mmCIF file of all heavy atoms in Angstrom:
data_model
loop_
_atom_site.group_PDB
_atom_site.id
_atom_site.type_symbol
_atom_site.label_atom_id
_atom_site.label_comp_id
_atom_site.label_asym_id
_atom_site.label_seq_id
_atom_site.Cartn_x
_atom_site.Cartn_y
_atom_site.Cartn_z
ATOM 1 N N ILE A 47 -2.192 3.866 4.725
ATOM 2 C CA ILE A 47 -1.230 4.999 4.780
ATOM 3 C C ILE A 47 -1.921 6.271 4.456
ATOM 4 O O ILE A 47 -2.946 6.275 3.777
ATOM 5 C CB ILE A 47 -0.046 4.757 3.726
ATOM 6 C CG1 ILE A 47 1.060 5.682 4.055
ATOM 7 C CG2 ILE A 47 -0.500 4.803 2.328
ATOM 8 C CD1 ILE A 47 2.377 5.315 3.329
ATOM 9 N N TRP A 48 -1.395 7.357 4.956
ATOM 10 C CA TRP A 48 -1.924 8.724 4.623
ATOM 11 C C TRP A 48 -1.005 9.308 3.561
ATOM 12 O O TRP A 48 0.219 9.184 3.660
ATOM 13 C CB TRP A 48 -1.942 9.594 5.833
ATOM 14 C CG TRP A 48 -3.122 9.321 6.783
ATOM 15 C CD1 TRP A 48 -3.092 8.418 7.798
ATOM 16 C CD2 TRP A 48 -4.399 9.904 6.734
ATOM 17 N NE1 TRP A 48 -4.350 8.443 8.430
ATOM 18 C CE2 TRP A 48 -5.157 9.322 7.773
ATOM 19 C CE3 TRP A 48 -5.009 10.857 5.939
ATOM 20 C CZ2 TRP A 48 -6.452 9.687 8.070
ATOM 21 C CZ3 TRP A 48 -6.329 11.265 6.159
ATOM 22 C CH2 TRP A 48 -7.050 10.598 7.236
ATOM 23 N N ILE A 49 -1.537 10.005 2.531
ATOM 24 C CA ILE A 49 -0.800 10.588 1.489
ATOM 25 C C ILE A 49 -1.257 11.979 1.266
ATOM 26 O O ILE A 49 -2.511 12.282 1.235
ATOM 27 C CB ILE A 49 -0.985 9.792 0.164
ATOM 28 C CG1 ILE A 49 -0.642 8.285 0.382
ATOM 29 C CG2 ILE A 49 -0.047 10.367 -0.910
ATOM 30 C CD1 ILE A 49 -0.982 7.466 -0.835
ATOM 31 N N LYS A 50 -0.340 12.936 0.990
ATOM 32 C CA LYS A 50 -0.638 14.289 0.565
ATOM 33 C C LYS A 50 0.300 14.692 -0.567
ATOM 34 O O LYS A 50 1.485 14.684 -0.409
ATOM 35 C CB LYS A 50 -0.471 15.349 1.709
ATOM 36 C CG LYS A 50 -0.886 16.720 1.323
ATOM 37 C CD LYS A 50 -0.931 17.652 2.535
ATOM 38 C CE LYS A 50 0.402 17.876 3.178
ATOM 39 N NZ LYS A 50 0.335 18.943 4.230
ATOM 40 N N THR A 51 -0.270 14.943 -1.744
ATOM 41 C CA THR A 51 0.582 15.234 -2.871
ATOM 42 C C THR A 51 -0.216 16.010 -3.958
ATOM 43 O O THR A 51 -1.482 15.947 -3.948
ATOM 44 C CB THR A 51 1.055 13.916 -3.507
ATOM 45 O OG1 THR A 51 1.996 14.235 -4.630
ATOM 46 C CG2 THR A 51 -0.018 13.056 -4.111
ATOM 47 N N THR A 52 0.460 16.651 -4.818
ATOM 48 C CA THR A 52 -0.117 17.254 -6.072
ATOM 49 C C THR A 52 0.521 16.577 -7.290
ATOM 50 O O THR A 52 0.201 17.011 -8.382
ATOM 51 C CB THR A 52 0.161 18.746 -6.126
ATOM 52 O OG1 THR A 52 1.566 19.063 -6.062
ATOM 53 C CG2 THR A 52 -0.526 19.495 -4.943
ATOM 54 N N GLU A 53 1.353 15.581 -7.051
ATOM 55 C CA GLU A 53 2.102 14.941 -8.134
ATOM 56 C C GLU A 53 1.740 13.479 -8.222
ATOM 57 O O GLU A 53 0.579 13.064 -7.985
ATOM 58 C CB GLU A 53 3.616 15.164 -7.885
ATOM 59 C CG GLU A 53 4.047 16.581 -7.839
ATOM 60 C CD GLU A 53 3.845 17.320 -9.172
ATOM 61 O OE1 GLU A 53 3.831 16.648 -10.212
ATOM 62 O OE2 GLU A 53 3.687 18.560 -9.118
ATOM 63 N N PHE A 54 2.691 12.573 -8.543
ATOM 64 C CA PHE A 54 2.486 11.233 -8.743
ATOM 65 C C PHE A 54 3.719 10.397 -8.383
ATOM 66 O O PHE A 54 4.760 11.027 -8.126
ATOM 67 C CB PHE A 54 2.103 10.905 -10.231
ATOM 68 C CG PHE A 54 3.219 11.264 -11.217
ATOM 69 C CD1 PHE A 54 4.127 10.351 -11.564
ATOM 70 C CD2 PHE A 54 3.288 12.584 -11.672
ATOM 71 C CE1 PHE A 54 5.186 10.737 -12.460
ATOM 72 C CE2 PHE A 54 4.291 12.967 -12.582
ATOM 73 C CZ PHE A 54 5.208 11.970 -12.946
ATOM 74 N N GLY A 55 3.595 9.051 -8.373
ATOM 75 C CA GLY A 55 4.793 8.236 -8.127
ATOM 76 C C GLY A 55 4.485 7.067 -7.210
ATOM 77 O O GLY A 55 3.349 6.897 -6.751
ATOM 78 N N ASN A 56 5.532 6.264 -6.965
ATOM 79 C CA ASN A 56 5.385 5.092 -6.101
ATOM 80 C C ASN A 56 5.281 5.467 -4.644
ATOM 81 O O ASN A 56 5.982 6.377 -4.172
ATOM 82 C CB ASN A 56 6.622 4.209 -6.221
ATOM 83 C CG ASN A 56 6.908 3.758 -7.660
ATOM 84 O OD1 ASN A 56 6.050 3.187 -8.278
ATOM 85 N ND2 ASN A 56 8.090 4.052 -8.148
ATOM 86 N N VAL A 57 4.283 4.893 -3.909
ATOM 87 C CA VAL A 57 4.107 5.249 -2.518
ATOM 88 C C VAL A 57 4.692 4.105 -1.602
ATOM 89 O O VAL A 57 5.460 4.368 -0.729
ATOM 90 C CB VAL A 57 2.618 5.431 -2.236
ATOM 91 C CG1 VAL A 57 2.391 5.803 -0.728
ATOM 92 C CG2 VAL A 57 2.073 6.582 -3.142
ATOM 93 N N ILE A 58 4.268 2.875 -1.829
ATOM 94 C CA ILE A 58 4.679 1.774 -1.044
ATOM 95 C C ILE A 58 5.083 0.534 -1.978
ATOM 96 O O ILE A 58 4.366 0.341 -2.911
ATOM 97 C CB ILE A 58 3.566 1.261 -0.090
ATOM 98 C CG1 ILE A 58 3.047 2.390 0.805
ATOM 99 C CG2 ILE A 58 4.129 0.146 0.809
ATOM 100 C CD1 ILE A 58 1.857 1.974 1.610
#
Side-chain angles (χ1 to χ4, degrees):
I47 195 168
W48 285 89
I49 308 170
K50 182 170 67 172
T51 185
T52 58
E53 300 295 335
F54 61 92
N56 304 305
V57 181
I58 307 173

